[in-house]
């Protein structure tokens, strides 16, 4: 196992290098000159030339890339063109908001998706099965921004049950701490603020979880149907085990192998920045911040966010592979190393 993990960690290096090359070429070669965007249309040619020199954009493209990689290896992703603050600090200030939203969304999507998929598989071709698949189809087909707008219109605009955006009321936002409002309010014992934070989380969590929940539901049903037809399930039934034990312990455990991959990839996508959801609900995470930086041609921030997303995806894929070994003892990583 350890040898396999080390091998996968080494494989991360060319993947991340490829990502940095692609995003660097897009921001430096294919994108317009950021100087007029940053300085404004009234800036003189001398001012723009000086700004490019100060930000290293006058250097050869290969030297800019080498400087970027050298800084990234030391934890320095450059500075924002606008705030002049380090990119690491800018991302770090907003990433907890995205983490909190993504974890809540993936928990809701996983619990409901696996439950619906399991029930649909056990009651195949019944009313519950058709209803679950219809719900999954709607979740996959409906754009996130559209479902978010509908939720705001219904629960915030018409019913006035829930807030339409933000993480918490200005007077109730916890100060300091980890930036994870749920954790911070619990640690501080501020239960009123915790309730307000949870209310603000409901709509963006539901909007963000719908798509992932639909995918998890369909994958769970398909995998569970296949597992129920396997020989080991029929053997377990022949031994006289209850249907609950057979379906829940034997069939579901095997069915969770492909579902685990889906959940991992969905979590990576959500952590990478739920751009549409954060924009619709004015959620101050890295997704919303990335949109603002793209519109402003703030290249250092864009490069930092893309690199972070790549690291998250690669790390989650590694974690999913390790979880496979615990879900299915038939998987032997030693044979993979030898191959």
């Amino acid at each position: 196992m350890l040898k396999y993990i080390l091998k996968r960690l080494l494989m991360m290096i060319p993947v991340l290098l490829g990502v940095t090359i692609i995003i660097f070429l897009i921001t430096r070669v294919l994108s317009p000159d950021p100087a007029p965007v940053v300085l404004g249309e009234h800036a003189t040619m001398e001012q723009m030339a000086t700004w490019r020199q100060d930000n290293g954009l006058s250097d050869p493209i290969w030297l800019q890339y080498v400087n970027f990689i050298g800084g990234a290896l030391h934890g320095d992703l450059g500075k924002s063109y606008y705030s002049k603050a380090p990119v690491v600090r800018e991302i770090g200030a907003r990433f907890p908001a995205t983490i909190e939203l993504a974890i809540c969304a993936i928990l809701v999507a996983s619990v409901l998706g696996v439950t619906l998929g399991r029930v649909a598989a056990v009651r195949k071709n019944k009313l519950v099965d058709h209803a679950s698949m219809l719900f999954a189809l709607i979740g996959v087909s409906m754009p996130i921004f559209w479902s978010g707008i509908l939720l705001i219109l219904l629960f915030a605009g018409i019913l006035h049950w829930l807030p339409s955006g933000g993480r918490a009321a200005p007077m109730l936002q916890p100060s300091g701490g980890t930036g994870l409002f749920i954790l911070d309010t619990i640690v501080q014992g501020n239960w009123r603020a915790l309730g307000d934070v949870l209310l603000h989380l409901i709509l963006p969590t539901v909007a963000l979880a719908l798509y992932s929940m639909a995918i998890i539901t369909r994958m769970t049903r398909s995998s569970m149907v296949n597992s129920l037809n396997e020989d080991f399930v029929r053997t377990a039934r022949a031994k006289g085990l209850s249907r609950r034990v057979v379906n829940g312990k034997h069939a579901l455990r095997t069915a969770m192998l492909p579902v685990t991959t889906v959940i991992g990839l969905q979590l990576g996508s959500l952590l990478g920045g739920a751009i549409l959801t954060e924009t619709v609900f004015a959620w101050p995470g890295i997704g919303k911040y990335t949109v603002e930086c793209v519109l402003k041609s703030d290249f250092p921030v864009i490069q930092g966010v893309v690199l972070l997303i790549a690291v998250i995806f690669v790390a989650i894929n590694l974690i999913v592979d390790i979880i496979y070994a615990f879900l299915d003892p038939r998987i032997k990583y030693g044979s993979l190393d030898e191959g």
Side-chain angles (χ1 to χ4, degrees), residues 283-305:
W283 192 265
I286 60 171
K288 181 174 178 291
Y289 183 54
T290 302
V291 173
E292 297 172 355
C293 292
V294 169
L295 297 176
K296 297 188 299 186
S297 297
D298 201 344
F299 293 161
V301 175
I302 299 172
Q303 293 169 180
V305 171

Side-chain angles (χ1 to χ4, degrees), residues 222-255:
S222 176
S223 183
M224 187 76 175
V225 168
N226 293 333
S227 295
L228 291 173
N229 293 324
E230 293 288 343
D231 292 336
F232 69 89
V233 173
R234 287 193 285 267
T235 301
R237 289 171 178 166
K239 290 181 178 179
L241 296 178
S242 66
R243 176 177 298 182
R244 181 178 179 182
V245 173
V246 173
N247 295 339
K249 182 178 179 180
H250 296 279
L252 184 60
R253 181 175 179 177
T254 304

Side-chain angles (χ1 to χ4, degrees), residues 28 35 38-39 46-59 64 67 78-81 84 300:
R28 290 298 195 278
V38 176
L39 299 178
E46 292 76 12
Q47 290 174 328
M48 289 190 288
T50 302
W51 183 87
R52 295 190 194 96
Q53 184 69 34
D54 294 340
N55 289 276
L57 298 179
S58 298
D59 298 331
Q64 295 181 42
N67 292 334
K79 294 183 177 181
S80 169
Y81 290 159
K84 304 301 180 184

Side-chain angles (χ1 to χ4, degrees), residues 7-334:
K7 181 179 179 181
R8 287 296 305 270
L9 289 175
L10 291 176
M11 292 173 60
M12 292 174 60
I13 297 177
V15 173
L16 295 179
L17 281 177
V19 170
T20 58
I21 292 174
I22 293 173
I23 188 59
F24 198 83
L25 291 177
I26 291 176
T27 56
R28 290 298 195 278
V29 179
L30 301 180
S31 299
D33 183 9
V37 180
V38 176
L39 299 178
E41 58 182 9
H42 298 295
T44 63
M45 297 299 294
E46 292 76 12
Q47 290 174 328
M48 289 190 288
T50 302
W51 183 87
R52 295 190 194 96
Q53 184 69 34
D54 294 340
N55 289 276
L57 298 179
S58 298
D59 298 331
I61 188 68
W62 65 269
L63 181 58
Q64 295 181 42
Y65 178 75
V66 170
N67 292 334
F68 169 69
I69 293 298
L73 292 176
H74 293 86
D76 180 11
L77 298 175
K79 294 183 177 181
S80 169
Y81 290 159
Y82 291 85
S83 66
K84 304 301 180 184
V87 172
V88 174
R89 185 190 305 170
E90 294 283 5
I91 295 176
R94 295 166 176 82
F95 196 43
T98 300
I99 292 178
E100 191 167 61
L101 177 59
I103 291 178
C104 291
I106 201 64
L107 286 176
V108 171
S110 299
V111 172
L112 295 181
V114 171
T115 302
L116 288 175
R118 177 178 178 272
V119 172
V122 172
R123 302 188 178 185
K124 184 181 177 182
N125 296 326
K126 301 288 183 62
L127 178 61
V128 174
D129 182 20
H130 296 310
S132 299
M133 290 302 97
L134 177 61
F135 178 75
L137 179 62
I138 294 174
V140 171
S141 305
M142 183 178 294
I144 294 179
F145 73 89
W146 181 244
S147 60
I149 292 174
L150 291 179
L151 289 172
I152 292 175
L153 179 63
L154 176 60
F155 292 100
I158 298 177
L159 300 176
H160 303 288
W161 288 354
L162 298 170
S164 61
R167 297 186 70 188
M171 299 299 295
L172 295 177
Q173 289 190 9
S175 59
T178 62
L180 302 172
F181 281 7
I182 294 179
L183 179 61
D184 292 340
T185 52
I186 293 176
V187 171
Q188 297 171 9
N190 192 343
W191 308 118
R192 181 186 175 192
L194 175 61
D196 186 69
V197 168
L198 293 177
L199 284 178
H200 281 79
L201 261 170
I202 292 176
L203 289 185
T205 296
V206 172
L208 189 59
L210 280 176
Y211 180 79
S212 298
M213 181 169 57
I215 294 178
I216 294 172
T217 299
R218 298 176 68 174
M219 178 58 69
T220 302
R221 178 190 179 278
S222 176
S223 183
M224 187 76 175
V225 168
N226 293 333
S227 295
L228 291 173
N229 293 324
E230 293 288 343
D231 292 336
F232 69 89
V233 173
R234 287 193 285 267
T235 301
R237 289 171 178 166
K239 290 181 178 179
L241 296 178
S242 66
R243 176 177 298 182
R244 181 178 179 182
V245 173
V246 173
N247 295 339
K249 182 178 179 180
H250 296 279
L252 184 60
R253 181 175 179 177
T254 304
M256 284 300 295
L257 285 172
V259 176
T260 301
T261 302
V262 172
I263 293 176
L265 293 177
Q266 289 301 310
L267 177 59
S269 300
L270 300 181
L271 283 175
I275 295 177
L276 295 176
T277 303
E278 291 185 358
T279 302
V280 170
F281 290 95
W283 192 265
I286 60 171
K288 181 174 178 291
Y289 183 54
T290 302
V291 173
E292 297 172 355
C293 292
V294 169
L295 297 176
K296 297 188 299 186
S297 297
D298 201 344
F299 293 161
V301 175
I302 299 172
Q303 293 169 180
V305 171
V306 172
L307 182 59
L308 173 64
I309 294 173
V311 171
I312 290 173
F313 265 102
V314 174
I316 288 180
N317 279 329
L318 175 60
I319 294 173
V320 168
D321 285 347
I322 296 174
I323 294 176
Y324 264 34
F326 297 96
L327 292 177
D328 190 351
R330 296 173 298 178
I331 297 178
K332 301 297 183 180
Y333 287 104

